[in-house]
Amino acid sequence: MIAAARNRGIALLRHPARAVALAFGAATLLGTFLLTLPVASASGSATDPFTALFTAVSAVCVTGLVVVDTAGHWSTFGEVVILGLIQVGGFGIMTLASLLILLVSRRIGLRLQMTAQAETKSLGLGEVRRVLLGVIITSLAVEAVIAAFLTAGFAAGHDYSFGRAVYHGIYHSVSAFNNAGFALYSDSMIGFATDPLICVPMMIATIIGGLGFPVLLELARRRKRRGKRWSLHTKITIPVYFGLLLFGALAFLVFEWRNPTTLGPVGTLDKILIGFFHSVQPRTAGFNSIDMAQVQPSTLLLNDVLMFIGGGSAGTAGGIKVTTFALLGWVMLAEIRAEPTVHIMGRKLAGEVQRQALTVALLGVGAVMAGTIVLLSISPFRLDDVLFEATSAFATVGMSTGITAQLPVAGQAVLVVLMFMGRLGPITLASALALRERARRYELPEERPIVG
Amino acid sequence: MIAAARNRGIALLRHPARAVALAFGAATLLGTFLLTLPVASASGSATDPFTALFTAVSAVCVTGLVVVDTAGHWSTFGEVVILGLIQVGGFGIMTLASLLILLVSRRIGLRLQMTAQAETKSLGLGEVRRVLLGVIITSLAVEAVIAAFLTAGFAAGHDYSFGRAVYHGIYHSVSAFNNAGFALYSDSMIGFATDPLICVPMMIATIIGGLGFPVLLELARRRKRRGKRWSLHTKITIPVYFGLLLFGALAFLVFEWRNPTTLGPVGTLDKILIGFFHSVQPRTAGFNSIDMAQVQPSTLLLNDVLMFIGGGSAGTAGGIKVTTFALLGWVMLAEIRAEPTVHIMGRKLAGEVQRQALTVALLGVGAVMAGTIVLLSISPFRLDDVLFEATSAFATVGMSTGITAQLPVAGQAVLVVLMFMGRLGPITLASALALRERARRYELPEERPIVG
Ligand SMILES: [K+]
Ligand SMILES: [K+]
């Protein structure tokens, strides 16, 4: 019995795409059921199944788009169900992504760091347990520390009762670490826009979750064994993640500095706090401390680009991931420089990885474009809002200019599909691409069509 | 003397990017000068230099964006200068692109078809002359036939005097064949939307010019020597070009069928004519027979995608070209199917070509995105209009929702840059990429960062 269960578990891991989809589907169904219960709504009446489904998908996929106001519509029970779904979604994606990476890669040194086992294409249960434990312990530890800071911030600066401060502290810590973007306020974090005691811990939680488990693990191990080389994955992820953060903040500040409906009225230090808060959010937590319906069109488009790129691999962030983005840049650079191989920081990039990055990025562009065109054709909204909404769903960001609830049900269903694709697509696609056997084929004569 | 001139000519061809930029720069300067002359404007007063420059760039780059109404602002002399610039731009891009392709490729069979000369990296003057003659004869022949049909259409259906019918016939034939999109009517071809005698010849001219000289040449040679294999370039270009045409027409009809400000009021056959006319235009002639300010946002975005893809290589069309687009699709498909090499219609795709296609496409996305963000930040317009405008400029299409003239001068300068980049970028980039020597480098250890 136990052996059979073990075999089944390991067999599932041999079909990672299936396992991931199954786990997320099951969590979504359970969440939908719980959210339809009358006890889950503030009014005490049952919630319609589609609203419950949308909310469950948004929570499990740690997106944060909502068709009903989280604070207003749900009871505390409903809010806790959502938080549970976020946590399960966060655990799930981090664990599964890390396992998939273990399976497919000798590359980031993760496997060697975590186990002495020889390189095979299956994982022992011990390995699975170790990754799961690592993810859970890391998550809970970070969440606890951030929750403590937030609790202090809510209690000290906003006259919350201790119980309420603890509840809000935990809620927003978990939501931020898992890059979920669900807030207990109808206006997200606008009420705390100028409070660094709330904004800064949430930004830190978002960044730690968004860098991804492999990077966190390497940073943690690094402290113990000095002198070891950093993996290329970490060496790319960290500068690109923080580089985009800085770029995003500067561009946000430039575009919004004088906008009377956003940064215009607040002081310089507050402007900078909001600028950095809003640069962290597209990678891909999705809180907002100013109203996104009021920003410049240029800010929205810049946010589209940043959201699409997203955060680190195998973390709680969405998007095509900063490594995918950076690798494409390096490939382009190598091409322009006429270098036959792509060299990154003293390492050669494997040829298949280039094609994988291209495939992940192009399928992402295709999904967002198709979703946007469908949404445009069935709703009265303009491209600014709709592209932002579709990108936000695909990159599991959850920011919105406020059109989510006004979309027709078919449009909300498009968002559900985009959220699932965006959450599960890149990682399962990339690992499926990397896992399968490469068939040797007969060779055909080579030919070069004209490009450009 | 003659030998020196020859050597200089051939030396220029060894630096194709420089030669192309030089030729286009010179034509633009001459055109700008002529258009500033009082005799070039209908009012008889001098035109300001920036307006003249914008118009000259738009004409030489066969784009068709205008800041002043072509029919209203310019005298007949001015209109003829513009037509001359269009023709020079069309000859120029077809000749240079064909020569560049001769230089870089044994691939499309063009070289072998045109000359028995051994494969070297330089061209003889005889070869250059032959290409130039081929381009000129092909262009003039097609333009003459189409002009005859248009003249008949104008004379028969619209009560034009014979002289006026000839002038308009030639003008719109040249403008259509060169995918330029300049029309002698303030509302482009809206007045002729339901006249197949005008629309169909213009569509045919656009398609012939937009397929590209290598494809035309192969189609022409084909008739003489039967049994020869088609080149991969032609086998990709033709189905993708016409596939996009059909797809574009169907999508346009679906999105606009009931739109009361566009297709709604006209009959079914007229709807279909307008649908196909508006599917030809994004590839990349840029006339319009309905007002683009009135179409659905979904139609605009779909047009953005189609314009960005553009037409055939080494023709009068712009965009990243249908081959670049199709190759990326095949690379993706091969990756998903786990095939180590990319096979297309019984041929293997060279590895460098994949990277070239990726580079051309990504630089295109980068140029359009950067241009759009700058335009958004300095103008009051929304994303729908601005993305359409930037894509239209980059892909040298020339359709507009009408914001061109209302943009600040800095914004119009951005369009000038986009037009130049879009016209010269992909072809010179692709050939520069393909021409240079590939340096052999020392090998570094391979590593595979996580993608997705
Ligand atoms: K999120
Ligand atoms: K054009």
Side-chain angles (χ1 to χ4, degrees), chain A residues 108-111 113-114 131 134-135 138 212-223 230 234:
Chain A
I108 57 162
L110 185 64
R111 183 178 197 107
Q113 286 177 17
M114 296 199 55
V131 170
V135 166
T138 310
F213 187 60
V215 171
L216 295 185
L217 193 71
E218 194 171 352
L219 289 172
R221 303 269 156 163
R222 181 76 180 174
R223 295 198 319 153
W230 292 98
T234 297

Side-chain angles (χ1 to χ4, degrees), chain B residues 3 5 19 24 64 74 109 160 168 203 213 216 239 242 348 360 387 395 429:
Chain B
F24 272 76
W74 306 107
Y160 283 27
H168 281 233
M203 288 159 68
F213 187 60
L216 295 187
F242 287 98
K348 179 177 141 191
V360 167
L387 180 63
L429 179 67

Side-chain angles (χ1 to χ4, degrees), chain B residues 62-64 179-181 284-286 396-398:
Chain B
V62 293
T63 306
N179 281 230
T284 54
T396 67
V397 178

Side-chain angles (χ1 to χ4, degrees), chain B residues 178-393:
Chain B
N178 290 292
N179 281 230
F182 278 89
L184 292 178
Y185 313 101
S186 308
D187 59 356
S188 190
M189 306 311 287
I190 293 177
F192 304 91
T194 58
D195 184 352
L197 293 183
I198 303 298
C199 289
V200 172
M202 286 180 66
M203 288 159 68
I204 292 173
T206 301
I207 292 172
I208 295 176
L211 282 171
F213 187 60
V215 171
L216 295 187
L217 193 70
E218 195 171 349
L219 289 173
R221 303 269 156 162
R222 183 74 180 175
R223 294 197 320 154
K224 298 184 194 160
R225 311 181 212 161
R226 296 182 63 89
K228 264 198 77 216
R229 228 178 43 80
W230 293 98
S231 75
L232 187 52
H233 178 72
T234 298
K235 283 199 297 184
I236 293 175
T237 300
I238 289 182
V240 176
Y241 191 101
F242 287 98
L244 287 172
L245 217 68
L246 191 64
F247 169 74
L250 291 178
F252 188 91
L253 289 171
V254 168
F255 290 151
E256 298 297 329
W257 195 269
R258 291 170 190 285
N259 185 343
T261 55
T262 60
L263 291 190
V266 303
T268 302
L269 280 180
D270 288 340
K271 281 185 168 74
I272 292 171
L273 177 64
I274 296 174
F276 275 90
F277 189 79
H278 266 269
S279 177
V280 169
Q281 301 315 317
R283 12 207 42 77
T284 54
F287 296 104
N288 53 290
S289 68
I290 55 168
D291 183 358
M292 291 308 285
Q294 301 298 330
V295 302
Q296 304 286 350
S298 47
T299 304
L300 279 184
L301 183 58
L302 188 86
N303 260 274
D304 292 335
V305 175
L306 293 174
M307 294 192 300
F308 186 77
I309 298 170
S313 297
T316 54
I320 60 167
K321 308 297 179 307
V322 293
T323 39
T324 309
F325 168 73
L327 291 182
L328 289 177
W330 259 294
V331 172
M332 221 168 73
L333 209 64
E335 178 60 27
I336 289 170
R337 285 185 184 158
E339 290 167 354
T341 51
V342 181
H343 289 174
I344 304 177
M345 303 181 189
R347 282 288 176 278
K348 179 177 141 191
L349 184 64
E352 316 95 79
V353 178
Q354 303 177 29
R355 262 174 47 178
Q356 286 163 26
L358 172 73
T359 305
V360 167
L362 287 186
L363 286 179
V365 170
V368 171
M369 278 291 153
T372 304
I373 289 180
V374 172
L375 286 176
L376 280 175
S377 67
I378 61 175
S379 80
F381 301 106
R382 306 285 297 179
L383 183 58
D384 307 75
D385 297 324
V386 170
L387 180 63
F388 191 75
E389 191 81 10
T391 311
S392 179

Side-chain angles (χ1 to χ4, degrees), chain B residues 12 35 53 88 138 141 150 156 166 169 234 284-285 291 319 337 350 360 380 399 413-414 436 451:
Chain B
L12 265 182
L35 289 176
L53 173 72
V88 166
T138 310
L150 287 178
V166 169
T234 298
T284 54
D291 183 358
R337 285 185 184 158
V360 167
M399 280 196 281
V414 169
R436 78 280 154 105
V451 158

Side-chain angles (χ1 to χ4, degrees), chain A residues 147-165:
Chain A
F149 276 99
L150 286 178
T151 300
F154 284 123
H158 301 274
D159 282 335
Y160 282 28
S161 71
F162 182 69
R164 185 169 149 86

Side-chain angles (χ1 to χ4, degrees), chain B residues 26-51:
Chain B
T28 304
L29 284 185
L30 178 63
T32 304
F33 168 71
L34 291 174
L35 289 176
T36 50
L37 299 177
V39 66
S41 78
S43 68
S45 53
T47 302
D48 76 278
F50 185 76
T51 299

